[in-house]
Amino acid sequence: MSEPIILTPPLKDEDVSKLRAGDRVLITGTVYTGRDAAHKRLVDLLDEGKTLPIDLEGQIIYFVGPTPTRPGKSIGSAGPTTSYRMDAYSPILIERGLKGMIGKGSRSQDVIDAMVRHKAIYFAAVGGAAALISRRIESCEVVAYEDLGPEAIRKLEVKDFPAIVVNDCEGNDLYSRGVEEYALDEMEVNG
Amino acid sequence: MREVGAEQITKVVKQLALEAAYQLGDDVREALREGLRQETSPAGQDVLNQLLENADIARDGEFPMCQDTGLAVIFVELGQDVHIVGDDINEAIQEGVRQGYEEGYLRKSACHPFTRKNTGDNTPAIIHISIVPGEKIKLTLAGKGGGSENMSRVMMLKPSDGKDGIKDYVEQRVKEAGSNPCPPIVVGVGIGGTFEKAAMLAKEALLRPLDDSNPDPELAEMEYELLERINRIGIGPAGLGGRTTALAVKVEMMSCHIASLPVAVNINCHAHRHKEVVI
Ligand code: SF4
């Protein structure tokens, strides 16, 4: 495997255009969290023509609802949640300047199209490696929707946060490529 | 008649909730290591190594294995000669879940289906009680994550679909689930019974140790064949492509109606959390 690419948000079109499905990256800097309920609220605000509680320009949203933080720690366990539940909302946020999303699992064609049109990236973190990932998160602060508990929007400062590019802005998809590459047909097994 | 205090049940359930979230079972660890030995994809090997390291970090008791510590599903085998004193057994279990999730810094994931408002303490837990002979109580707690539960299905096949139809359905379900349920997964299959019984059989199948096989040779063969078929799909660890899509397939079966062939597929992720205790 090749060396990981270092990324520091806010991301620009040039940063995003260079990335290809399958690239490993290490993210350092600010990442926002958000999942089902927070996404709904953000999109409802946009529908009403109101301003968002966070500026999305060039930012990355990490789909995560961490466990409660123990005293003396910066965050609890914080692995990715399944992304398709955000598919209805992501294209609207991408249109508004969102450049990256971190989650797990496939995205809809609408989201992939929005990523191609507006140059954005979908990254996967390893689902279930939540304790390991927490070690790369240096601080965590709730910046919106505290009432949502684990679903509140948090501002994370991360260092060397490991992720892999699943969908790039040319429409490539690592998941379908991975399955094609490793699928065995009957012949190979029986022959 | 043996008396068991409700507070003892609360204490045990709390302990089970903590253990399930922090201690990955030895059988799962061994299955991940075996996966690593077989895996040909470099990205897949990388993921499996990360999962083993993750389990080591979680074992220290500060960070749960996964941030989704699940809804608590509790199976109770209640001996008919046991008398619970002090409180209602259901409430004693709920209180154990409440305490375990609070004191263990576990995520509360229970919410109202419409408003999505969090109940705040991870209750109500899902409780399944069955009455058995004897004067013991067996309590099993499974922390069921949403990602893998969402990929589970019940299907009423036609009797003419037969054994092959069942196997095709299970394989198809795993294919469709793809990278969503955090592969490598464990697949529980329930065959027969009724609509809800098939689902229960599939869930109970997931409580078996990973390294056993069904005592019925026909079902043992089915488990083996399904595992082979699933690991040919190519989804691999974290869905990045590879051999290790499932760690095990467990099948449970019972008789069904002459007009029906129910089959349920309950998928579990590699955070295959279940702990049991006998009081
Ligand atoms: S599917 Fe399992 S490992 Fe993946 S996020 Fe959910 S609980 Fe965690």
Side-chain angles (χ1 to χ4, degrees):
Chain A
M1 279 184 290
S2 55
E3 280 301 298
I5 297 165
I6 311 292
L7 286 181
T8 314
L11 303 179
K12 302 197 185 55
D13 282 357
E14 305 89 88
D15 303 321
V16 167
S17 311
K18 279 189 296 213
L19 297 171
R20 284 294 164 267
D23 285 349
R24 288 185 308 143
V25 300
L26 292 173
I27 303 165
T28 295
T30 303
V31 166
Y32 290 97
T33 74
R35 43 173 291 155
D36 311 48
H39 272 75
K40 181 167 179 0
R41 287 198 189 175
L42 292 177
V43 168
D44 285 350
L45 278 181
L46 289 173
D47 283 349
E48 293 163 18
K50 299 200 175 119
T51 41
L52 299 180
I54 52 169
D55 181 8
L56 290 178
E57 194 57 47
Q59 298 301 336
I60 298 177
I61 294 186
Y62 179 23
F63 304 148
V64 59
T67 56
T69 309
R70 280 182 186 270
K73 304 284 177 205
S74 46
I75 197 168
S77 287
T81 192
T82 319
S83 308
Y84 73 84
R85 299 193 315 270
M86 269 53 78
D87 283 356
Y89 309 116
S90 293
I92 303 161
L93 302 183
I94 292 169
E95 231 168 81
R96 300 297 170 121
L98 182 72
K99 282 288 170 214
M101 295 157 286
I102 310 171
K104 64 167 171 100
S106 307
R107 309 307 306 270
S108 70
Q109 196 56 46
D110 277 354
V111 181
I112 294 175
D113 292 345
M115 286 192 275
V116 172
R117 214 171 319 120
H118 301 282
K119 291 203 186 318
I121 296 284
Y122 172 53
F123 304 95
V126 175
L132 188 72
I133 290 172
S134 298
R135 295 196 160 176
R136 308 295 173 89
I137 301 173
E138 302 198 313
S139 73
C140 163
E141 178 198 348
V142 174
V143 290
Y145 309 144
E146 188 156 15
D147 61 299
L148 292 180
E151 297 206 49
I153 298 185
R154 291 167 168 81
K155 184 180 180 191
L156 307 181
E157 294 302 326
V158 303
K159 190 162 192 313
D160 296 334
F161 184 103
I164 187 160
V165 177
V166 172
N167 297 111
D168 58 32
C169 53
E170 291 198 331
N172 297 307
D173 178 59
L174 176 63
Y175 289 137
S176 38
R177 201 175 75 195
V179 173
E180 273 164 32
E181 201 174 316
Y182 285 92
L184 294 180
D185 59 30
E186 299 296 324
M187 292 296 288
E188 281 175 78
V189 173
N190 301 333
Chain B
M1 189 65 97
R2 176 177 167 231
E3 288 200 342
V4 173
E7 75 292 340
Q8 195 185 346
I9 291 178
T10 298
K11 224 168 92 192
V12 165
V13 169
K14 172 183 157 184
Q15 199 52 38
L16 289 173
L18 292 173
E19 274 176 33
Y22 286 97
Q23 312 292 335
L24 188 64
D26 289 337
D27 55 339
V28 188
R29 247 174 228 274
E30 188 42 45
L32 288 172
R33 281 196 211 102
E34 179 57 27
L36 194 54
R37 285 190 281 272
Q38 309 277 337
E39 188 53 69
T40 52
S41 132
Q45 289 168 355
D46 190 38
V47 169
L48 292 171
N49 272 317
Q50 287 189 42
L51 295 179
L52 284 163
E53 194 187 338
N54 186 67
D56 288 342
I57 298 172
R59 187 158 49 185
D60 293 343
E62 289 194 318
F63 292 98
M65 287 185 263
C66 184
Q67 78 290 337
D68 183 355
T69 45
L71 278 190
V73 183
I74 290 110
F75 296 86
V76 186
E77 285 177 28
L78 180 61
Q80 64 183 14
D81 297 325
V82 179
H83 179 207
I84 311 279
V85 290
D87 200 353
D88 153 18
I89 182 169
N90 290 289
E91 184 40 39
I93 291 171
Q94 301 291 359
E95 183 56 25
V97 169
R98 222 170 267 136
Q99 291 180 11
Y101 275 71
E102 187 56 34
E103 291 171 35
Y105 288 83
L106 307 185
R107 198 179 79 185
K108 287 83 183 170
S109 308
C111 76
H112 185 282
F114 294 164
T115 65
R116 313 306 294 177
K117 190 177 177 340
N118 201 298
T119 64
D121 60 6
N122 217 46
T123 67
I126 314 298
I127 304 175
H128 302 292
I129 300 183
S130 55
I131 311 290
V132 297
E135 49 170 32
K136 293 198 165 72
I137 311 173
K138 183 169 162 194
L139 287 157
T140 307
L141 182 144
K144 194 67 182 77
S148 52
E149 193 74 352
N150 282 347
M151 295 297 118
S152 305
R153 297 286 184 276
V154 179
M155 180 71 186
M156 306 305 279
L157 293 176
K158 295 190 296 297
S160 60
D161 292 327
K163 216 168 142 184
D164 285 341
I166 293 171
K167 288 189 269 192
D168 290 347
Y169 180 70
V170 175
E171 186 183 351
Q172 192 51 33
R173 188 77 288 276
V174 172
K175 256 190 200 156
E176 281 165 15
S179 53
N180 292 320
C182 290
I185 56 176
V186 181
V187 184
V189 181
I191 303 169
T194 45
F195 179 77
E196 84 287 3
K197 186 67 188 178
M200 279 301 291
L201 288 172
K203 191 148 235 104
E204 284 160 13
L206 290 174
L207 301 177
R208 284 169 41 197
L210 289 195
D211 46 14
D212 76 350
S213 48
N214 196 299
D216 176 340
E218 194 178 10
L219 296 183
E221 194 193 310
M222 195 176 203
E223 291 174 349
Y224 179 80
E225 190 192 327
L226 275 172
L227 183 62
E228 293 275 296
R229 279 173 67 166
I230 288 168
N231 285 336
R232 288 207 300 258
I233 300 174
I235 297 169
L240 301 178
R243 288 277 73 81
T244 327
T245 302
L247 300 175
V249 178
K250 303 287 170 189
V251 180
E252 293 294 323
M253 186 168 82
M254 72 177 291
S255 306
C256 55
H257 192 282
I258 49 173
S260 311
L261 180 54
V263 52
V265 182
N266 197 189
I267 295 183
N268 227 354
C269 50
H270 55 77
H272 185 60
R273 296 164 286 208
H274 52 92
K275 299 285 169 191
E276 59 179 55
V277 125
V278 177
I279 306 180

